[in-house]
Amino acid sequence: MLAKALALDPAEEKQLIAALRAVLPAASAVEEPEAHTWVPPRQLPPRPAHFVGRLREFAALDDIATREGEAGKVLAIVGRAGIGKTALAVQWCSMVAEDFPDGQLYVNLRGFGPLDPVEPLAALHTLLRGLGVAPEEIADDVDAASALLRSRTSRRRMLLLLDNALNSEQVRPLLPADSCVTIVTSRNQLRGLVAHDATARVSLQSLEPSDSIELLSRVSGRTMIEQEEAVRELTDLCDNFPLALRIIGEKLGRQPDTPLADIVDEIANNRDRLDAFYSGDDIYSDLRAVLRWSYRHLDHDAAWMLRAVGGLYPGAAFSTAAAGALAGFSLPKARQLLDRLVSMHLVEQHDNDRYFLHDLVRAYAAESSRQHDAAAICEASVLRLLDWFLKHLYAADAAFAPDRLREPMVVVTGLDPFPDLPAALRWCELEHQTLTSLPAWAYAHGAHLASCQIAYLLESFMAHYKHYYELLDSHKAAVKAVRHIDNPRLEGHLLSAMGNAYDELQRFEDSSRCHAEALRVFQECGDRRGEAKVLSNIAATAITTRDYESARTRCQQALAVAAEAGYERGRAHTLDTLGEAHFGLGDFAAAIDCWHQAFHINKHSGALFVQATNLTNLGRAYSASGDHETAVRYHKEAISAFQSIATPRGEAMALFNLGHAYHARGTVEEAIAAWEQAIVLYSEVDDAKAAEVWREIHKLSQDRKITS
């Protein structure tokens, strides 16, 4: 009775009886219980078939499990549904099983699946029965049963695998004595377990592309070597996600004559993408069902947030504020809900305030949104997000080009301006992928005015970073949208921007067509400022084709219209273009005069980028006229100005021009140094002009060799 009360194992029971005999004469009559033979449990599931990769994770598990001086090691393997947590855990446990001579215990906690999660007391009964404890010896109390588990595992070298845990509360009572190692797998990040129970956590990510191809090949039995492009696309569509790859691999194996390209098309072009990820006879091989098991554990608000960011949001990555605007939650509430989704591995967090959904999770969220969300709710969400982006884009454009004409084309209220231009540019860079898709997204949702306004506000940012193809894509959607509303001024500006983009891409026929159409629209609606702008743009196209006389004539027309309309920004823009025309004609004094005038207008307006451009243009003109010292001074001022607004491409351009000024002055080493700095900056922003600068350095080096 005493042995049972103390929860002693057979060996300890023998020791107790011996001790009693030594001190109690009457105890000599006590009969020894029949000896129990300890048979270590070997409960690990079979190793997973076709296991690939995970070398880094194996190393991390080995390192944690073998650290000296740490008791009660608990290792949590966490990750999203179907990422291979159980497969990794079983594979590793099988590999190290011999290091645990007292046995290995396994229990499926059913945290996520078709059945209800296992209660801690039921899990304790399973573990204790595996240790040979009779059912009647296990108390119907979690704390008592948990204490019994620790007693029965004390001083034993055992390995416990607690698979598919729901949360930390479910796991904590199941932790054994300090002599054991416990592996826990879960879709939950198990933050409480990590914080309070000295748990080490290994977070599983998607497979490496090469491992994904290997897994597809093993499951399907098909070679992938000769279909590299198609198989790469297929693994991308599967998110390099083990469960998805296994399902598709099985399909490829039973359809050996089906080309990979057909499978790719079936997945990529199917609105219900998850239909492709179902084997047909096993709920555990139905990706939709597997994701549903995670989704059903969300509360109402968290579920709506997932449907909103996954089913409605137009980009892959998003901020807390954008998600809150879309779903209609305050910033603190949105942060709380996103953190909940991150903890469940339905959303990934990148940095402090950037979130991301994998495509297959996004597909499930989109399906759920179509099933549960009324059209009016979705429409209201779309309009809230567009309003949020409009306000931020307006503020960014105001920081980038403070003198640019925005009203009455775009009118916003409740504006929260950016503190400076670098902050505005950083925001644009972060949201770049989403911003470029917004005009088409808005048009698809019937928000025609927002489509046009967003495209218009994007022009400065896109031109600054030379995203001309993206500008054209966004503006094509906006031009379609503008025809649904009565706003010819916006139409003219959109067409003008497209003309400029075509000019930069040297598609001069398209450029002329867009500019001619824009000019007609402005003239018909009596917008003299728009007319002056397009005339100046037509002059810029003429300069690109080296028709400097035509450019000068157009500039003079544009200056007259701008002066009549009182359009100072237009005057500055045209004077800059006229300076290029004079420069091309060899009239450097006239070019200097134009660029000085343009600089003073831009300085008054506060437009920093164009000021810096004016300065380096003045450097070019002074250098061409033989005043190299003044040229160097203006180029250095331009470099400083570009640096102040964190514009590496502009800084590289000014350095390139400075190198030419140094070269013309005869200081060759300084020229090379300036050009080398320009190459670094151009390379950082992936600008093709880096090659042009390399050619200048190479040419200079060759000239020096010939001279020497």
Side-chain angles (χ1 to χ4, degrees), residues 13 18 36 53 68 113 185 189 215 274 306 310 349 369 431 485 492 508 534 647 700-701:
E13 188 175 336
H36 294 284
E68 295 293 334
T185 72
Q189 287 184 334
L215 180 58
L274 296 179
L306 180 67
Q349 185 171 6
S369 179
E431 300 291 354
I485 59 178
F508 301 120
V534 176
T647 311
L700 182 57
S701 299

Side-chain angles (χ1 to χ4, degrees), residues 484-506:
H484 292 271
I485 59 178
D486 184 21
N487 198 325
R489 297 181 72 183
L490 256 177
E491 181 180 3
H493 284 292
L494 294 170
L495 289 166
S496 176
M498 290 180 70
N500 292 342
Y502 281 127
D503 179 34
E504 292 287 346
L505 297 171
Q506 298 189 354

Side-chain angles (χ1 to χ4, degrees), residues 556-685:
Q556 290 166 348
Q557 294 173 354
L559 283 173
V561 175
E564 180 186 329
Y567 184 26
E568 282 298 282
R569 185 176 192 273
R571 282 191 66 238
H573 177 66
T574 305
L575 283 165
D576 187 62
T577 306
L578 182 58
E580 290 287 359
H582 286 310
F583 189 89
L585 291 167
D587 191 348
F588 305 126
I592 289 171
D593 181 59
C594 286
W595 283 328
H596 271 300
Q597 290 185 63
F599 175 76
H600 287 300
I601 294 172
N602 289 324
K603 188 174 183 180
H604 180 73
S605 71
L608 297 175
F609 180 81
V610 286
Q611 287 179 51
T613 304
N614 296 149
L615 288 168
T616 196
N617 282 340
L618 282 166
R620 289 169 53 218
Y622 277 111
S623 187
S625 62
D627 188 352
H628 304 305
E629 294 303 323
T630 303
V632 167
R633 176 166 58 83
Y634 274 113
H635 287 315
K636 287 183 176 180
E637 288 183 23
I639 291 167
S640 178
F642 281 124
Q643 288 174 339
S644 72
I645 55 176
T647 311
R649 185 175 274 107
E651 184 184 348
M653 174 186 68
L655 281 164
F656 187 36
N657 291 334
L658 175 62
H660 281 293
Y662 279 141
H663 186 205
R665 193 177 69 175
T667 50
V668 175
E669 296 302 329
E670 288 180 300
I672 292 175
W675 284 339
E676 287 176 343
Q677 291 180 57
I679 287 171
V680 171
L681 290 170
Y682 275 135
S683 299
E684 287 177 355
V685 295

